[in-house]
Amino acid sequence: MKKMYHYFILLLFVTTLAACTTMPSAANNGKTYGNELIIGMESEADVLDPHRAGGWVTMRINYQMFEPLIGEDLSKSSGEASVPELIPVLAKSWQVSEDGKMYTFHLREGVKFHDGTPFNAEAVDFNIKRLTDENFEYFDKIGSSRTFRTWKFFDRSEVVDEYTLNIHLSSPFSEFLRMLAQINSLQIVSPESIITGGNDSVGENPVGTGPFKFNNRNRGENITLVKNKDYWGEKAKLDTVIFRPMSDPASRVLALQNDEVDIIAVPPPDAIENLEEKGYDILSGTPPHVWYLTFNFDNEYMQDQRVRQAINYAIDREGIANQLLKGTVSPAYTIQSPGSVNFDPSRKWYEYDPEKAKDLLAEAGLEDGFNMILQTSVDGSGQLMPVDIAEWIQRDLKKVGIDVTLDTQEWITYFSGYSDGMDSSIAMNQMSAGRTSPFFLSMVAHSDFVAPGGFNSGKYASAETDELLDRASTATDDVEALEIWRQTEEKIMTDAAFAPIVHDTAPYVVNKRVKGFVVPSEEWYTLAPVWIDQ
């Protein structure tokens, strides 16, 4: 009897303890936080090095672990803020000199990296040198090649004291702060992790300061992050976040319906209405996104402006947006993207006109048409349904006499080769990109950024365009800069350096038990405020 009594008391204690540990606290407004969030993403991720990584799929993961000096307020949806406000992150404040050439950053004190080492001005200077100084012991050529557009006007950095850093520029750069806030720019990596393991180790053992830290990765299956309990700011509400690469859209939907994932990205357009009827939340926004074709200026046909313009006129963007993608995107008539301060939806180039396309081809002496190759990925960050879109374009171009052969690759292979440029036998390739900064125009069209090495994959080069881009970048008056960006956009589109196709609205399908998930006017998001409603 005594043993039974002790057993009863022990059972009562364990039950009471369990109830106490799950009871909502007043500080949490009556909500129970914790547990696990699983996201079904549209492709495998790249390396988890914020300086080397390519593609938004990877950037969304890295954003949870690594932090910049200056960030964007991603707590508001696109409807609340068309362009996210710049906010302090690892820099608590900053000043810009009167001539616009020196930026002084005052850093947060008491911040530690996930490995327990201190964050300070020396750590920031180490990261900058990793990307800019070829003589630095830990200079990373790959990271430098992926981020150098941010450092186009960089001169030097200097540590003033433990928590103060100056960055000197060779000329004013109106978009410098916004570029620092972008993913794949200057998210701060633990110097000790690089010193200990080398530059190649970062992608496999990422160490930042963010609200989540790396736990493990099984390639092709999952990447697991866990809460950083020592985070300097407001702690994450989730205990664990798992990212699962699932390149097949139907598999993502099935996994959601089987409760194997909580959120899926890039749902099949024809499944959205049904998922909404079944009680899932459909969240979308206005990210800075444009899905576009890049013409190869090394290709004999694409060197003719009339051919590039003809291809632009020959593509039925409205059909792609509304019939193929069921209104989950909008037609794109400019290379600039929504979510950028200089985007103007009223500026439309090359509306669908196949007869105009035929006339231009005839003027170029190609009335009998020609054969060409279009390269595209089969999946990937912001790629939507790349093969389906490419096949639609293939049919449209066939109607004006152009026979298109598709060359397809999986995303990681495709993206890693994108900045190498195209062989002259390739006429066009495809990309989805965009930035909240108008400097995006420079990233894709300035001759300083031509392939190999840059994001100007088609090797478009125009002295007049370069001059406009540099004037816009270095203008110190915002109104003047905006007007020059508009002139630059006009020049790029008149030259038909690209064929913009659609702008994404980035729909996510979310289980209703997931709370606090916001789709901002950006291609990435924060998971720190998200929780699971028990």
Side-chain angles (χ1 to χ4, degrees), residues 427-439:
M428 305 184 297
N429 63 16
Q430 171 275 321
M431 184 48 64
S432 52
R435 286 291 189 271
T436 51
S437 168
F439 191 68

Side-chain angles (χ1 to χ4, degrees), residues 229-388:
K229 296 178 180 178
D230 299 317
Y231 184 57
W232 59 267
E234 185 174 349
K235 307 291 191 293
K237 294 178 172 62
L238 293 163
D239 295 319
T240 307
V241 176
I242 298 174
F243 294 89
R244 288 182 56 189
M246 308 177 75
S247 60
D248 178 52
S251 295
R252 291 197 295 276
V253 171
L254 186 62
L256 182 73
Q257 293 177 325
N258 289 340
D259 256 1
E260 296 169 6
V261 300
D262 303 294
I263 299 174
I264 61 170
V266 197
D270 55 5
I272 289 178
E273 185 177 353
N274 179 256
L275 288 168
E276 191 169 25
E277 288 175 354
K278 289 185 175 181
Y280 295 96
D281 289 329
I282 313 297
L283 304 180
S284 60
T286 312
H289 176 283
V290 57
W291 197 105
Y292 63 96
L293 303 177
T294 301
F295 295 114
N296 183 9
F297 281 74
D298 282 346
N299 179 271
E300 60 172 318
Y301 295 115
M302 299 304 108
Q303 290 171 356
D304 193 318
Q305 180 186 25
R306 293 166 297 187
V307 174
R308 301 193 303 271
Q309 290 178 334
I311 290 172
N312 266 287
Y313 280 119
I315 298 170
D316 180 10
R317 295 162 175 83
E318 297 278 348
I320 294 172
N322 297 319
Q323 296 176 44
L324 178 63
L325 297 178
K326 311 296 183 185
T328 59
V329 301
S330 60
Y333 294 102
T334 173
I335 191 61
Q336 192 51 275
S337 57
S340 175
V341 293
N342 67 321
F343 178 73
D344 182 352
S346 69
R347 292 165 68 84
K348 293 185 177 182
W349 285 269
Y350 308 112
E351 295 187 81
Y352 185 47
D353 191 341
E355 293 307 313
K356 178 69 172 175
K358 291 177 183 177
D359 290 344
L360 285 165
L361 290 173
E363 287 179 26
L366 296 168
E367 58 272 9
D368 295 328
F370 63 95
N371 300 323
M372 57 167 275
I373 299 173
L374 165 60
Q375 283 186 330
T376 183
S377 70
V378 298
D379 57 3
S381 299
Q383 294 290 81
L384 306 173
M385 298 165 61
V387 176
D388 297 277

